[in-house]
Amino acid sequence: MPSGAQFTESAIRFLDEQFGLTNPRFGSVYGLRQSRAVDNWEFNRVTAARVFIIRINDTEGAAIEQRSPTHSRWGVADLRRRRREIHPEGIVPLTTGYIEGRIPEGPISLC
């Protein structure tokens, strides 16, 4: 994102340019992340982290796969099975929890 840009506006532009999604349906999960004590001192700070979760239908998913061969649709079971391949760490429980309704909308802590 360019400096001073609004998160939602930048995300909408990115989704349109990269995937052709012109009207994304965002979830509203966001939060703060703090590095672990064992991390390098350079990374021991609190940073704002935004993960945008959007819901897409089968038609939109098929269009994304066709437009971008490096992307594929995974269901919740696939996400869980491949969680160690997905970064940042912790995004799979966050995403699956949100999809399944176990994580409420609004601010959360990503520690």
Side-chain angles (χ1 to χ4, degrees), residues 7 24-30 51-55 98 105-106:
F7 171 77
R25 296 174 303 282
F26 287 97
S28 61
V29 174
Y30 63 95
V51 174
F52 54 93
I53 299 171
I54 59 166
R55 294 185 183 269
Y98 177 75
E105 304 240 345

Side-chain angles (χ1 to χ4, degrees), residues 23-84:
N23 190 23
R25 296 174 303 282
F26 287 97
S28 61
V29 174
Y30 63 95
L32 297 176
R33 178 192 182 280
Q34 182 164 359
S35 58
R36 299 171 297 187
V38 296
D39 290 338
N40 184 307
W41 68 269
E42 293 178 61
F43 302 106
N44 189 17
R45 60 183 179 271
V46 176
T47 56
R50 292 208 179 238
V51 174
F52 54 93
I53 299 171
I54 59 166
R55 294 185 183 269
I56 59 174
N57 60 37
D58 287 338
T59 303
E60 291 167 325
I64 289 170
E65 283 183 314
Q66 194 163 22
R67 184 175 181 154
S68 179
T70 59
H71 289 82
S72 62
R73 288 180 284 174
W74 291 343
V76 171
D78 296 314
L79 288 172
R80 284 193 178 110
R81 185 173 42 81
R82 301 184 76 165
R83 71 186 180 282
R84 299 206 193 298

